[in-house]
Amino acid sequence: MTMNQMEAAVRIAQLSKELDEHNYRYYVINQPVISDREFDLLLEELIRLEIQFPELLLPDSPSQRVGGTVTREFKTVVHKYPMLSLGNTYSEEELRDFNERIIKLIPDEPVQYICEHKFDGVAIGLTYIKGKFAYAVTRGDGIQGDDVSANVRTIRSVPLQIHAANCPDEFEIRGEIILPHSAFERMNEERADIGESPFANPRNAAAGTLKLQDSAEVARRKLDCYLYALYGKELPFSTHEEALNAASAWGFKVSNDRRICQSIDDVLGYIRHWDQARLHLPFDTDGVVIKVNHFLQQEELGYTAKSPRWAIAYKFKAQSASTLLRSVSYQVGRTGAITPVANLDPVQLAGTTVKRASLHNADQILKLGLHEGDTVWVEKGGEIIPKITGTEPAKRKPDAQAIHFIEVCPECGTRLIRQEGEAQHYCPNSSGCPPQIKGRIEHFTARKAMNIDGLGSETVDLLVDKGLVRDIADLYSLKKSDLLALERFAEKSATNLIQGIEDSRSVPFERVLFAIGIRFVGDTVARKLARHFLSMESLIQADKAALLEAPEVGEKIADSIQAFFADPMRKKLVDRLQEAGLCMAIDPGEAPKRVSDRLAGKVLVITGTFEQHSRDEYKQIIEEHGGKNGSGVTGKTDYLIAGKDCGPSKLDKAAKLGVKVISEVQFLDLVGLATAD
Ligand code: IVH
C-alpha cells in the first residue's frame, strides 16, 4: 500500500503511541500484552514509514531507542537544581538520632516518613519540556554534570514522550540508572569471552556504559532507570508520595517497594525486611533512603551545606561470612587467561551456600596475603560469584605456606606469561592447550558467531577428545560417518550437525570475523571492522595507521588484530576457512552504495571534529562518491578535510606537500550535499 504524507503522519503517530504503550507495559510495569514478534512487526512498519518519509522522523520516535549517535564529548550542563547527596547512617541508633532531630525541629505535628530503596547505580536528572524528553544530565560535581541524552534515550523504560495530559510544562525527574544483575552477568561473560577484564560490579558497569560514545552499544547493554524525585516550579503536590504516584502515572519507572511509615519503628521494620529481601531483587541496592513525606515539613527542615535535613540514607552492612580456604584452583579460558578460584568450606551466605569465590588474579592473592588453610571472609553483593575480602592472620597455623600463583599451565604444563601492564597470566600454548582449543571452538559455533546448532560444550569436548577436531577449520571436514562412529550420535543428530555446519557457510562476513576469536574484537567491533574494511583480505593488509582509522579501534584492538594475523598458524587457519567456503567479504548488497563519481580516484584524509556528520559518516560519504579514505597525509592525498580542533601536524604536512585543505562545508559542497543555509 502506498500512502501520501498525511496518511503516513497519521499512521506514524498511531504506531508510535502503540509502541510507547507496549514499551511501558514491558519495561516499566512488566505486564506485556503482545509477543516480541508482534512488537517487532509494529516497529518495522514504523521504521519503514520513517525511511519513506524522513521528514516525519521525530527524535522521540520509538524507533530511536536503538541508538546510533556517536558522542565525541559530553557537553557540560549546569543543574537547574543542585544535585545534593544524602547523609549516611549505619545503625539503628543513628537513625533514632535523625528522628529526634526532626521531632525537635517540628515539635507540634506528626511526621510521616517515606522509605525507598537506595538504588546502587548512577544518579541522573531527566528534563521534560512539553511532555517530551529534552535532556539527561549526570550528577557530576552536583553543580554541573554531563549531557548523556543520546545514551539515556536508548533506555527502554525512560519515556521519550509523556502521553498523560496532566503533566507540567517543564519538570525534572531524578533517579538512578542501574544495570540489572542479568544484564551485568551477560555483559561480563561477553567481556571475558573476548579477553576484556570484567567490571567489578553492576554500578561500575552502568557508569562505564553511560559514558560510552556509541549509543548503539549502550542500547545493547540493557540499562534500566528507577526514578525517585520530581523538581519543577509550582508542582501541584503536597507530599513526596503524591509526586511519586504522579510520576508513576506519567509512565516513569518508580519502584513499588516504597512505603509510608508513621514512626521510626515502622522505618526500622522496613529496613529489617529489605536487609534480607533485597538479595532477591533483580538489581543492587545498598540501603534504604528515608524521606520526610510532607513538602511543607521538608521546607521547614531545610538543608545543610551538602544535604537535606529531611532525608537520610541507611546503609546495609555487606553480607559476609567467615570460612576456611581449602585450596586454590586455576581455570584456563579460551584466550588462555588464567583465573584463580578459591575453593572454600561450604558456608551459608545471603541465602545460598558458597563453596567458591573468585580471586581475579595474582595481585589479588598477594594483596590478601593468602596462605594455605586460611580463615577468610567472603562477601556477596548482587553478583553471583562472591569475593574474598580479607583473611585472619591470627588464626593461621605458624607453618602455613603463602599461596604462590602457579608458574605453569594446569592443563598443558606450558610456562605462563604475564605481559607488562596486564593483571592476568596467560598460557601461550594456544594451539595445544585443550581448554583453549575447546573454548575457541565453542566461541566459533556460538549463536552470535557461526550459530551452529547441536554443538554444545559436551559435544565439542567429545570431538576434541576423540581427535576428530583440533581447530575450527576441522569442523568443515567432518563427515556424517565420523559422527555415527561415536556413541553420542544417532542418524538424526548426526544429520542435523552436519547440516548446521553446512548452513554456517553462508553466515555473513562480520560474524565470521567475530567467530575467529581475535582478542578484544567482540561482535560490535567485528561489525564495524567488516563495514570499514569490507573483506578479510583488506583487514589483513591494513597497517597500524589504517587500523586506527577504523571506528572503535584504538591501540589495544589494533595491536591485537596485527598480532593475530602475524601468527602464521592463525593466518593459515583463516585460509583454510576461506577454502571451506566461508564468507570472507561483505555481501555486495551491504557494501557502501555508489551515489556519484564526484570523488572517483581521489584520496581524502579527514582530521578534527565535525558539526554536521560524524567522522564515520564522512568516511562513508567519501566511499559513496567513489573516493578513498587515506589514513595519513602523503604525496598521494588529494584533499585534507579539516574539522574543528584539528592538530597542526596534518595541516603542516598538507602545506608542505601542497595538499589542498578544505573545510567541512566545502567538502559537502564538493559532493553536492551542502545545504542552502
Ligand atoms: S534522593 C537530596 N532517593 O543516593 C537528595 N537518592 O547518597 C536526593 N540514591 O545522589 C536524593 N536511591 O544517587 C534519593 N531512593 C533514592 C535513592 C537515592 C539512590 C542515590 C542518589 C544520591 C545518593 C545520595
Side-chain angles (χ1 to χ4, degrees):
M1 189 179 70
T2 55
M3 284 189 182
N4 63 32
Q5 192 175 23
M6 190 98 96
E7 288 164 335
V10 172
R11 182 68 185 145
I12 285 178
Q14 186 187 17
L15 284 167
S16 300
K17 190 152 186 244
E18 268 183 52
L19 285 162
D20 278 349
E21 170 73 16
H22 291 306
N23 259 331
Y24 172 73
R25 292 191 145 276
Y26 189 94
Y27 292 102
V28 180
I29 57 174
N30 202 6
Q31 291 169 9
V33 287
I34 60 172
S35 68
D36 291 1
R37 173 88 196 114
E38 285 167 309
F39 182 91
D40 289 345
L41 285 175
L42 292 174
L43 186 61
E44 276 164 26
E45 185 185 345
L46 176 67
I47 292 171
R48 241 181 294 127
L49 283 173
E50 288 173 342
I51 290 173
Q52 211 180 333
F53 298 96
E55 60 282 11
L56 297 179
L57 171 64
L58 299 173
D60 39 26
S61 162
S63 64
Q64 300 307 292
R65 299 282 197 187
V66 291
T69 348
V70 176
T71 315
R72 257 171 302 284
E73 228 173 87
F74 298 104
K75 230 176 36 205
T76 307
V77 178
V78 177
H79 291 296
K80 233 182 178 154
Y81 311 90
M83 262 201 187
L84 302 176
S85 60
L86 291 173
N88 287 327
T89 62
Y90 295 87
S91 68
E92 191 174 320
E93 237 175 276
E94 287 174 323
L95 202 59
R96 289 192 187 276
D97 291 346
F98 165 76
N99 183 47
E100 295 299 323
R101 283 197 298 274
I102 287 183
I103 293 176
K104 242 192 215 142
L105 290 165
I106 307 183
D108 305 323
E109 302 162 28
V111 174
Q112 224 179 31
Y113 293 110
I114 179 163
C115 294
E116 301 164 7
H117 292 308
K118 185 171 190 325
F119 301 95
D120 197 8
V122 186
I124 193 83
L126 315 174
T127 297
Y128 286 77
I129 301 174
K130 296 204 185 326
K132 290 182 190 303
F133 170 81
Y135 52 90
V137 185
T138 60
R139 181 189 150 88
D141 59 5
I143 304 297
Q144 52 183 34
D146 287 337
D147 179 337
V148 289
S149 307
N151 289 344
V152 171
R153 267 176 201 288
T154 68
I155 303 175
R156 302 297 210 276
S157 57
V158 170
L160 298 178
Q161 272 199 65
I162 296 174
H163 296 287
N166 62 345
C167 79
D169 241 21
E170 180 166 345
F171 66 90
E172 181 174 344
I173 187 161
R174 289 191 180 157
E176 205 86 353
I177 291 184
I178 54 135
L179 193 67
H181 294 149
S182 54
F184 171 70
E185 300 293 336
R186 200 199 53 213
M187 185 169 145
N188 266 353
E189 273 166 26
E190 283 177 12
R191 287 173 77 84
D193 186 34
I194 59 166
E196 285 276 14
S197 50
F199 279 114
N201 55 49
R203 178 175 14 90
N204 290 359
T209 302
L210 203 59
K211 287 294 179 67
L212 286 176
Q213 294 183 325
D214 177 2
S215 63
E217 179 57 20
V218 180
R220 272 187 285 279
R221 299 228 186 140
K222 307 269 186 266
L223 293 170
D224 205 346
C225 182
Y226 281 91
L227 287 315
Y228 47 66
L230 267 183
Y231 295 79
K233 271 205 209 107
E234 290 159 27
L235 295 180
F237 312 112
S238 50
T239 63
H240 182 61
E241 184 191 22
E242 278 174 29
L244 289 187
N245 289 346
S248 170
W250 298 339
F252 290 99
K253 196 162 189 169
V254 180
S255 168
N256 281 330
D257 300 329
R258 59 188 186 275
R259 280 291 169 276
I260 295 286
C261 293
Q262 308 293 354
S263 69
I264 202 67
D265 287 311
D266 274 8
V267 170
L268 285 164
Y270 181 92
I271 289 173
R272 266 179 228 122
H273 170 74
W274 284 108
D275 189 12
Q276 291 303 314
R278 73 188 170 111
L279 301 165
H280 307 291
L281 287 170
F283 50 81
D284 273 4
T285 62
D286 58 346
V288 167
V289 179
I290 301 111
K291 301 173 182 171
V292 168
N293 191 27
H294 277 81
F295 286 149
L296 284 177
Q297 293 182 338
Q298 287 191 2
E299 261 171 52
E300 223 173 309
L301 290 162
Y303 297 82
T304 68
K306 272 190 296 185
S307 51
R309 282 200 194 87
W310 47 263
I312 201 156
Y314 176 92
K315 292 278 216 74
F316 292 128
K317 283 182 206 66
Q319 301 264 330
S320 63
S322 106
T323 185
L324 286 181
L325 175 71
R326 283 186 175 170
S327 63
V328 175
S329 48
Y330 297 85
Q331 291 170 345
V332 186
R334 106 172 143 81
T335 54
I338 311 285
T339 311
V341 177
N343 301 302
L344 308 167
D345 265 0
V347 60
Q348 283 299 114
L349 177 60
T352 53
T353 310
V354 173
K355 292 184 200 137
R356 289 149 67 80
S358 165
L359 284 168
H360 302 296
N361 52 47
D363 291 343
Q364 179 71 6
I365 294 178
L366 269 181
K367 211 166 102 192
L368 287 167
L370 208 58
H371 283 60
E372 282 171 1
D374 260 356
T375 302
V376 295
W377 284 96
V378 277
E379 245 179 47
K380 201 165 148 182
E383 314 86 40
I384 288 173
I385 306 161
K387 52 183 174 291
I388 295 189
T389 52
T391 62
E392 289 205 39
K395 294 194 180 163
R396 189 175 288 153
K397 288 200 189 109
D399 58 344
Q401 295 290 305
I403 303 273
H404 288 293
F405 203 86
I406 48 169
E407 287 177 1
V408 297
C409 175
E411 301 281 345
C412 71
T414 306
R415 182 154 293 278
L416 300 179
I417 52 166
R418 179 178 177 179
Q419 242 130 31
E420 278 270 319
E422 284 206 17
Q424 217 87 18
H425 280 76
Y426 283 86
C427 165
N429 180 19
S430 58
S431 59
C433 180
Q436 294 190 58
I437 297 172
K438 290 172 182 172
R440 278 198 302 271
I441 296 173
E442 279 175 33
H443 170 83
F444 182 79
T445 59
R447 196 128 62 96
K448 272 203 309 194
M450 305 304 282
N451 191 20
I452 304 179
D453 266 351
L455 254 185
S457 63
E458 282 169 30
T459 312
V460 171
D461 283 357
L462 184 71
L463 295 177
V464 174
D465 293 343
K466 294 283 174 194
L468 284 172
V469 173
R470 271 152 304 156
D471 58 42
I472 52 181
D474 283 346
L475 290 170
Y476 293 92
S477 33
L478 268 183
K479 288 190 288 300
K480 201 163 115 184
S481 53
D482 295 334
L483 299 178
L484 287 172
L486 304 172
E487 217 171 84
R488 202 184 158 82
F489 281 93
E491 178 66 28
K492 184 146 184 280
S493 50
T495 311
N496 284 349
L497 179 51
I498 296 292
Q499 187 60 45
I501 293 171
E502 192 56 39
D503 291 347
S504 75
R505 290 183 219 250
S506 55
V507 161
F509 171 53
E510 60 185 49
R511 278 169 50 200
V512 175
L513 189 53
F514 169 60
I516 59 174
I518 304 172
R519 193 167 171 217
F520 304 135
V521 176
D523 55 337
T524 311
V525 174
R527 185 162 46 247
K528 301 217 161 154
L529 285 172
R531 300 218 172 126
H532 185 83
F533 289 103
L534 306 179
S535 70
M536 193 70 90
E537 195 47 43
S538 50
L539 178 65
I540 295 171
Q541 296 304 331
D543 59 15
K544 183 141 172 201
L547 287 168
L548 288 170
E549 285 285 309
E552 302 258 331
V553 177
E555 290 282 331
K556 190 172 77 172
I557 297 179
D559 288 345
S560 168
I561 295 171
Q562 291 212 300
F564 186 93
F565 292 115
D567 175 352
M569 303 247 286
R570 279 144 151 184
K571 176 72 183 50
K572 179 97 204 308
L573 195 67
V574 172
D575 291 344
R576 282 170 60 214
L577 292 174
Q578 175 151 32
E579 279 158 30
L582 268 57
C583 298
M584 292 295 169
I586 216 153
D587 183 336
E590 281 182 62
K593 52 184 190 305
R594 190 63 170 254
V595 178
S596 85
D597 286 327
R598 287 179 188 225
L599 301 176
K602 301 269 188 268
V603 178
L604 295 93
V605 173
I606 51 185
T607 180
T609 58
F610 297 95
E611 310 234 310
Q612 306 197 27
H613 297 274
S614 67
R615 283 170 72 101
D616 287 342
E617 283 165 353
Y618 277 117
K619 285 184 186 168
Q620 194 180 334
I621 294 170
I622 290 170
E623 285 176 12
E624 283 173 359
H625 292 273
K628 273 212 159 90
N629 283 294
S631 51
V633 178
T634 69
K636 291 199 189 120
T637 312
D638 293 288
Y639 293 102
L640 174 66
I641 313 171
K644 272 203 320 209
D645 313 321
C646 54
S649 69
K650 280 191 176 145
L651 289 176
D652 285 353
K653 204 153 179 204
K656 261 192 217 122
L657 295 168
V659 171
K660 197 161 177 204
V661 180
I662 57 173
S663 70
E664 178 173 13
V665 175
Q666 285 172 315
F667 170 74
L668 288 169
D669 201 29
L670 198 62
V671 291
L673 287 172
T675 45
D677 50 358

